[in-house]
Each structure stands twice: as C-alpha cells, then as structure tokens.
Amino acid sequence: MNQALAPVSAGQQQRALWLSTFAFTVCFAVWMIFAIIGIQISRQLGLNDTQFGLLIATPVLTGSVIRVFLGIWSDQFGGRKVMTLVMLCGAAATWLLTYAQTYPQFLLAALFVGIAGGNFSVGVTYVSKWFPPEKQGTALGIFGAGNIGSAVTKLLAPLVMVASGWMMVAKLWAVGLAVTAILFYLFSKEDPSLEERRRSGVKPMPFAEQMAPLKNLQVWRFSLYYFFVFGGFVALALWLPHYLVGAYGMDVGTAGVLAACYSIPASLFRVVGGWLSDRIGARRVMYWTLGVSAICTFLLAYPDTRYVVQGVHGELSFHLAIGVTLFTVLVFVLGFFMSLGKAAVYKHIPVYYPQHVGAVGGVVGMIGGLGGFILPIVFGALNDVVGIWSSCFMLLFVLVTGALAWMHFAIRRMERRRFPQIDRETDLPEAIEAAAADGRRRG
C-alpha cells in the first residue's frame, strides 16, 4: 500500500475524502428517510408499533446485507464505480417508493431504498486506500461523520412533509441522491491501489482469500461492538421521533429537532473518535464508549414510576421520571460516545487486516447495520408486549454491558498470553513484600 500511495498528493487525498464524505451524507439521509415519512405512512395505514418498527427497519436490512459484497467489489473493481452505481440505484428506488399504496408494497419499496445504505462499506474501502495507516483513523472518522445525514433528514424532512406530504420528501431526496452520484463520478478518481494493480497487471484477490479472516473470532467481536455503536445509533435515529411523539406527546416537527440532538453528536464527533484512536489507541476509546454508554442507557431505561411508601404519619408518594431536558442531555452524551466508538471500531480493521479491509469492513458493517434492522423491530415488539416506552433502553443496556464484558475478558486473555507473569503478580504491596521475603529465606 505504501508503494501505491507514494505518488498520491495531499490534495488528491483530501478530494477523495471530502467527496466520499459528502456522498455518504446524502446516502445516509436517504437511508433514514422512513424515520420521518414512516410516521405519516403509519397513520395512513393504521399500523401498530411492531409493524411500524418493521417498516422503518427494512431499508437497514438491505443496506446491511449488501455491505459485504459491496466492500469486496470495491476492492476488486474500485470504489469510484461501485459508489456511483449504489447511489444511482438508491435514487431510482426512492423515487419508485412514491408508487407504493399497501403495507407489503411499502415493505418491498423500503428494501430497495436500503441500497443507499450500502455506500458505507464502499466508502471505507475507497477512503482507506488513499491514506497511510497512521492517518486512517482520522480519515475514516471524517468519512463516518456522514452519519450526519440522519440529522439532515430529521430537520428538513418534517418541513417538507408538513408542506407537501411524504411523497415530495421521497422525490426530493431521490433527485438529490442522483445529482450527488453524477457529481461524485465526474470529480473523483480511481483509488491508487487499483491504478497500481492495473499498471502491474496483478489480478484482484480471489473471493475465498478475501473472506479468510472471517474465521477469526476477533472479527465477530468487532462486529458486536459495531452492532451496538452503529446498529444502536441507526435504531435510535429511526425510533426516537416516534418515541418522543408517544412518550412526551410532541408533534413530529419538534420530535425531529430533538431527535437531531442525538443524531448530530452521534455523527459529527466520529471525527474526534478517529483522531483519538490515532493518538491514544482505539482500545482505550472503546472502553470509554462502552462504559459511558452503559451508564446512559441504564438511566434512560428507568421508566416513569410512582412510589407510595407507608410512612410514620401516613402514605408518602414519590414520582421519578426523566423529563425532556434530562432526556435530551442523556441522548446527546450517548450519541457522543457512540460516535467515538464507531470510529474506534473501524480504526482496528486496516491495522489488523490491511489486505482485507473490504471483506472485514463489509462484514463488520453488515452486522452493525443488522443491529439497525433488528433493534427497531424489537423496540416495537417490546412496546406492544411490555407496554413501557423505556424498554428500548433496557435492551440497549443489556447489549452494551455484554459487549463491555466480552471486550474486557478478551483483552485480559490476550494480555495473559503475551505476559504470563501477570497471573503471578498482584497489586497488593503486602503480598509482594511477603513473596519477596519468602524468596530471600529460601535463597
């Protein structure tokens, strides 16, 4: 890779990075379109929460599953062509969405709209080819900030929908994506590794060889992290407008603005996560992410509760609930640390698997995206079965604590293999001194 990067100028790197980031932003805005138009469609069709959850999550399914193949194709044929094709297909599907009338038709249309979400693995593969390893964390963090497209949809789509209906939202977003595809193709260049491969006549890596790293359990551990930090982000980005309308009685416009308070930090600060991962290490950033996220989801999971206590002078009543202000602060903090974690996960991949970024990045992205598909459906089912709005955060708390535990024990196991003396040492000074004295006596 270093040989391929030698003739690449800083200007070419920056052009590839910012064109890819802009394209990903527009793709993500389209991918999240059902977070807003789904509310009006749900009312139009009379859907329950489980059906609504399935509708808003269906685009995520497509965008997740195709990430593996798109990442591999990007390695083989170049990210420029693949990214352009993804955007054009997503634009066509979003326009055709306006012809759907029944629930099954909307689900089918949503499947094809989800093609836009596959842009991520293409962009990760394409951008990583332009930068050396010591700068890939920052570069991929900037690219990943394209998640801000979710906030763009939440802020602008309600205005268009109130004025002209959900169909106009779909048409405008489709046109925007098609124009972006054309601009990207005209101004971007093939990545340097593809150009080098063409000059040297080297054939692309075979499919079986590209998929070989998936035998490593480590890849699936990274996938669990991403299931939470990205899948949880997508799920909440889709679910929060509906949550705020139902739990706090807001109108869709206000709910969209407050939901953007989660989406914006969960997107923009991914840049900071990439920079920190380059500076202090991705592992430390992941500890911060999962630890703080566990605290936030625990607090958000607490339901609106009234207590009655039998006191000395009669009954005492208490009311514990998270108000709108505290809720907004907590989801802002949660979004911030999720954004750090998204960058940290992808910092690992080019370092551990430099020749398999497309395949490994595609699988990790697919599992993360599947979180964005599965979780909204489960959120809706929990609402229908349990009947508690905060049950979605209860599920996220269980998920993040499980990921934190697996990460910690995996790291400890690696440390023990690399430094066997750890098991013989202790942090207790008294024990260390006693062991030293015992050694001297035996000597």
Side-chain angles (χ1 to χ4, degrees), residues 59-71:
V60 182
L61 175 63
T62 311
S64 304
V65 172
I66 64 174
R67 285 183 174 190
V68 179
F69 307 102
L70 292 177

Side-chain angles (χ1 to χ4, degrees), residues 18 24 26 120 162 168 183 194 213 256 294 300 309 314 341 343 353 359 382 406 410 418 427 429 435:
W18 292 108
F24 181 47
V26 179
F120 178 73
V162 170
M168 182 58 67
L183 293 176
L194 181 65
L300 289 165
V309 179
Y353 306 99
L382 286 173
W406 190 7
R418 187 171 299 177
D427 292 332

Side-chain angles (χ1 to χ4, degrees), residues 72 76 203-211:
I72 294 171
Q76 293 181 329
K203 294 182 179 180
M205 186 182 299
F207 178 81
E209 188 177 343
Q210 284 189 317
M211 301 301 285

Side-chain angles (χ1 to χ4, degrees), residues 28-50:
F28 211 89
V30 171
W31 203 34
M32 295 289 102
I33 194 171
F34 278 92
I36 299 301
I37 68 172
I39 296 174
Q40 193 173 88
I41 293 171
S42 177
R43 291 172 180 167
Q44 177 181 319
L45 300 178
L47 306 180
N48 60 31
D49 276 355
T50 303

Side-chain angles (χ1 to χ4, degrees), residues 69-198:
F69 307 102
L70 292 177
I72 294 171
W73 291 341
S74 298
D75 270 336
Q76 293 181 329
F77 307 115
R80 179 172 177 248
K81 294 186 182 68
V82 178
M83 192 179 295
T84 302
L85 182 62
V86 165
M87 287 189 282
L88 290 176
C89 291
T94 305
W95 184 276
L96 293 174
L97 165 67
T98 60
Y99 293 94
Q101 295 181 343
T102 65
Y103 185 60
Q105 290 174 350
F106 277 109
L107 291 178
L108 180 62
L111 276 174
F112 288 98
V113 170
I115 293 172
N119 176 282
F120 178 73
S121 63
V122 183
V124 166
T125 307
Y126 181 71
V127 171
S128 66
K129 303 290 187 183
W130 291 89
F131 292 87
E134 64 272 14
K135 294 184 178 180
Q136 285 175 345
T138 303
L140 293 178
I142 293 172
F143 168 74
N147 289 164
I148 195 70
S150 173
V152 172
T153 291
K154 288 186 179 69
L155 292 173
L156 300 182
L159 302 178
V160 177
M161 189 170 70
V162 170
S164 305
W166 70 263
M167 288 187 182
M168 182 58 67
V169 177
K171 291 179 179 179
L172 289 178
W173 267 232
V175 171
L177 186 56
V179 171
T180 302
I182 296 170
L183 293 176
F184 178 83
Y185 188 79
L186 291 177
F187 292 100
S188 63
K189 293 181 62 177
E190 300 290 0
D191 65 74
S193 65
L194 181 65
E195 294 286 356
E196 179 66 21
R197 207 166 63 220
R198 286 175 176 173

Side-chain angles (χ1 to χ4, degrees), residues 284-304:
R284 185 177 298 178
V285 175
M286 285 306 304
Y287 266 117
W288 290 354
T289 293
L290 299 180
V292 176
S293 296
I295 295 171
C296 289
T297 52
F298 176 80
L299 295 174
L300 289 165
Y302 202 87
D304 189 331

Side-chain angles (χ1 to χ4, degrees), residues 204-443:
M205 186 182 299
F207 178 81
E209 188 177 343
Q210 284 189 317
M211 301 301 285
L214 304 188
K215 299 175 183 178
N216 298 336
L217 185 61
Q218 183 188 54
V219 173
W220 301 101
R221 179 159 53 86
F222 292 164
S223 298
L224 176 62
Y225 304 160
Y226 210 60
F227 187 91
F228 172 74
V229 295
F230 180 74
F233 159 71
V234 171
L236 287 177
L238 291 168
W239 188 255
L240 278 179
H242 179 64
Y243 183 99
L244 291 167
V245 169
Y248 293 100
M250 298 180 182
D251 61 85
V252 67
T254 306
V257 171
L258 288 183
C261 291
Y262 166 75
S263 299
I264 291 174
S267 305
L268 288 182
F269 289 109
R270 188 166 182 162
V271 180
V272 179
W275 178 79
L276 285 174
S277 297
D278 282 339
R279 289 299 184 94
I280 65 174
R283 179 182 297 177
R284 185 177 298 178
V285 175
M286 285 306 304
Y287 266 117
W288 290 354
T289 293
L290 299 180
V292 176
S293 296
I295 295 171
C296 289
T297 52
F298 176 80
L299 295 174
L300 289 165
Y302 202 87
D304 189 331
T305 309
R306 297 183 183 275
Y307 293 98
V308 177
V309 179
Q310 189 64 45
V312 176
H313 303 292
E315 293 182 344
L316 300 174
S317 61
F318 299 93
H319 179 211
L320 296 179
I322 295 179
V324 174
T325 302
L326 180 58
F327 180 89
T328 304
V329 171
L330 286 173
V331 295
F332 181 93
V333 174
L334 179 63
F336 172 78
F337 280 94
M338 277 181 155
S339 69
L340 301 187
K342 284 185 285 187
V345 171
Y346 267 87
K347 168 63 178 178
H348 287 86
I349 295 172
V351 174
Y352 283 96
Y353 306 99
Q355 304 303 319
H356 303 82
V357 175
V360 176
V363 169
V364 172
M366 178 191 73
I367 300 299
L370 286 176
F373 168 70
I374 294 169
L375 290 174
I377 299 173
V378 180
F379 291 169
L382 286 173
N383 267 15
D384 289 335
V385 175
V386 180
I388 299 175
W389 276 105
S390 62
S391 58
C392 59
F393 293 106
M394 298 177 189
L395 175 61
L396 291 176
F397 173 74
V398 172
L399 180 61
V400 69
T401 51
L404 179 59
W406 190 7
M407 181 182 77
H408 180 69
F409 286 115
I411 290 171
R412 293 294 294 169
R413 187 167 57 250
M414 288 188 294
E415 289 174 345
R416 288 189 180 96
R417 282 201 303 265
R418 187 171 299 177
F419 307 105
Q421 68 273 22
I422 288 178
D423 286 332
R424 300 192 298 269
E425 294 177 353
T426 175
D427 292 332
L428 297 176
E430 297 83 355
I432 295 174
E433 292 173 4
D438 183 63
R440 287 194 297 269
R441 282 196 302 273
R442 292 182 179 182

